[in-house]
Amino acid sequence: TGEQKTKWAAAAKTMSDKRATAMASQDWAAMRTLRGEFTADLEKFLTKEQLEKYAKLRSQRPSSGGGGQ
C-alpha cells in the first residue's frame, strides 16, 4: 500500500544513515544490530506474507562478509 511504501522508505533512510555512520567507524557489531532493528521496524507494518517474501529475498542475496567475520 502507499502507507507501507512511505513507512518502508522512512525505515530504509534511517537504516542507511545509521549504516553509513557504523561503516565509517568500522563498527561491525552495530551493523548487525541495525539489520535487526530494520527487521523490527518492518514487522510493525508489513503483513506476515510480505515479511516471509522479504526474508526469502534477503536469504538469496550474497553475504557482504563485513570485516571481522
Side-chain angles (χ1 to χ4, degrees):
T1 68
E3 183 180 353
Q4 286 176 318
K5 288 179 182 179
T6 300
K7 289 180 179 181
W8 177 282
K13 171 79 168 106
T14 299
M15 167 83 166
S16 177
D17 292 346
K18 289 181 178 181
R19 183 178 58 217
T21 300
M23 288 184 74
S25 62
Q26 297 185 355
D27 187 348
W28 309 121
M31 292 290 290
R32 287 186 291 278
T33 300
L34 288 172
R35 187 175 16 206
E37 289 175 1
F38 182 66
T39 300
D41 283 345
L42 298 182
E43 290 171 349
K44 294 176 185 175
F45 61 87
L46 293 181
T47 65
K48 180 180 176 183
E49 292 79 17
Q50 288 170 324
L51 287 168
E52 289 171 357
K53 186 173 182 179
Y54 171 74
K56 183 178 178 182
L57 290 171
R58 179 128 177 88
S59 71
Q60 294 173 351
R61 292 179 55 195
S63 175
S64 63
Q69 291 184 355

